[in-house]
Amino acid sequence: FLGRKEIDAELFDDLEELLITADLGVTTTRELLDHARRKVHRKELSDPESLKLALKDKIKSFIIDYQRDAELVMPESGPFVIMVVGVNGVGKTTTIGKIAHKFVKAGRSVMLVAGDTFRAAAVSQLQIWGERNGVHVVARADRADPSSVVYDAMDIAKAKNYDVVLVDTAGRLHTQTNLMEELKKIKRVMGKRLEGAPHEVMLVIDATTGQNGISQAKLFHEAVGITGITLTKLDGTAKGGIVANICREMKTPIRFIGVGEKMEDLRDFDPDEFIEALFE
Amino acid sequence: NLTDRLEGVFRRLRGHGTLTEDNIQEAMREVRMALLEADVHFKVARDFVAGVTEKAIGREVAKSLSPGQQVIKIVHEELVALLGGNTEQLRLDGRQPVTIMMAGLQGSGKTTTSGKLAAMLKNKGRRPYLVPADIYRPAAIEQLQVLGDKLGVPVHPSTTDTRPVDICRQAMVAAAEKNYDTVIIDTAGRLHIDESLMSELKDIQEAVQLSEILFVADAMTGQDAVTVAEKFNHDLAITGVVLTKMEGDARGGAALSIKSVTGKPIKFVGMGEGLDALEVFHPDRTASRILG
Ligand SMILES: Nc1nc2c(ncn2[C@@H]2O[C@H](COP(=O)(O)OP(=O)(O)OP(=O)(O)O)[C@@H](O)[C@H]2O)c(=O)[nH]1
Ligand SMILES: Nc1nc2c(ncn2[C@@H]2O[C@H](COP(=O)(O)OP(=O)(O)OP(=O)(O)O)[C@@H](O)[C@H]2O)c(=O)[nH]1
Ligand SMILES: [Mg+2]
Ligand SMILES: [Mg+2]
């Protein structure tokens, strides 16, 4: 483990560097190392391997500390509506294309909703994902109010009895109050038109995000109540350690990870694999 | 915040007219913590603090400042110097047409920034030409076309069945024919560890005379900023950096990480989604933000 034969100050320095460069943040790293130091002091740990294991267990406890099921659970009847939110460029639209693929492979009927009526070519981008999956995309030709697109979409979803509805929203910074209000309205309209919708509010977080991820999660949660997280771009070199803090704070499960730009590049989140990768 | 924490540090140590090696140690630990909380890379923060410590030892505490404020002043000055040392504008006077290639990770803001640059250059009286060279992302070419239409800036009619390097060659021919003086090439987002896609950028660099290669990075990037910037700079010899989404609440430590590891000037910051939201980089504002 990091080539060290014994627990000493240098080992702790190396661990500090490992945890911080994995984006776990200063406060959490400090807490983890203090926890480890106490165990060493109480003679509960005496070699680097067991210290490593103790750290992994502690981090795992932050991540799986949620009360809901880790898997997406389909409702008894009616469309299962997933609203996808997050800041600009994190991979919302692409993730919807991937989730659609997963459900189509599982034999479900899927519908996409082009709720980003703002950004250049956002609707076209989602339509291409719809074509790739062979699924219907509800979109408006004009720059309609996203709430009105979603309103119509809920009616269509009910009428055509789709199993899964994926609603794309425009990227927005969590600090833009008016845009966060817009998101609340989209959610309200969904719920009024189709009872229980959205059944899942999925926050997409980019694995390269630093400590700002905590602020993002906090404000999106306050605005619309996040029920699941997808961590994207884990095929890069970033470790995505920020989610350890987010999950700990919000007790929200990480549903999926994005590991590439193709339709198949989505995996169910595996906490053990994730933590192993943190320590690589 | 850092000022309060430093006041706390110096309250515990007594009577200071000069910053000494002893009284500065604990203060510098607080500074390092603040930098890490701001997403400055682990090694960059350590080196920066070591450098500033040397500068601070032996300095007199100004009459009007508390020791904590004096330390912040020195740290702030040093940050500004590091961030902005060689601030540079776009190189517009060299060989014409000026050719700018945008490069960076997926979703960092390259396409939007290409549009913003075109808007800025058009306002300066230049004749920009937007070149969509992203043949992979669904509707990427359309995205740049929509921006061009909005601005009244011509966009090269790229298609997804042409190799990016050929798109660029063809665009240079078109630019010469139509007398466009600034060519802005938007490339696909890619991972720095994807060797075949990094080669694609090197191919463009060899095929076209590039005046600028702008590395576009998201202001909220964490520790990974160093690894990514280092690789892009190593493979392409970037000439400048653009930090996007800076109007949010990210502390922006990635700015210091990227600047220290590449040595290349941060030329612009993206301050919004609108095509007018591009500003010249202000080192002092970013320094204050990083220090919190
Ligand atoms: N390498 C990699 N790239 C990804 C992943 N997920 C998305 N991307 C890429 O990230 C870029 C942005 O993806 P989008 O789906 O447009 O992101 P978005 O959140 O919808 O963006 P906005 O709607 O503009 O806010 C695209 O180039 C995607 O191909 C991933 O898991 N790995
Ligand atoms: N808030 C904010 N959003 C920005 C800024 N710059 C770009 N964006 C948004 O970030 C998202 C991604 O921008 P793009 O221009 O598509 O990014 P890209 O680098 O071209 O993405 P790929 O081509 O997929 O790699 C879009 O939603 C943009 O509107 C900025 O300065 N502030
Ligand atoms: Mg999108
Ligand atoms: Mg792009």
Side-chain angles (χ1 to χ4, degrees), chain B residues 169-187:
Chain B
R169 282 199 194 100
Q170 293 163 9
M172 294 311 289
V173 171
E177 282 172 7
K178 311 214 177 120
N179 204 9
Y180 297 131
D181 58 21
T182 323
V183 177
I184 301 168
I185 300 171
D186 179 28
T187 64

Side-chain angles (χ1 to χ4, degrees), chain A residues 87-94 96 116 119 122 125-126 168-171, chain B residues 137:
Chain A
V87 302
N88 308 74
V90 294
K92 299 177 290 300
T93 307
T94 307
I96 286 175
D116 179 353
R119 207 206 68 212
Q125 185 185 5
L126 190 71
D168 193 12
T169 63
Chain B
R137 170 174 156 151

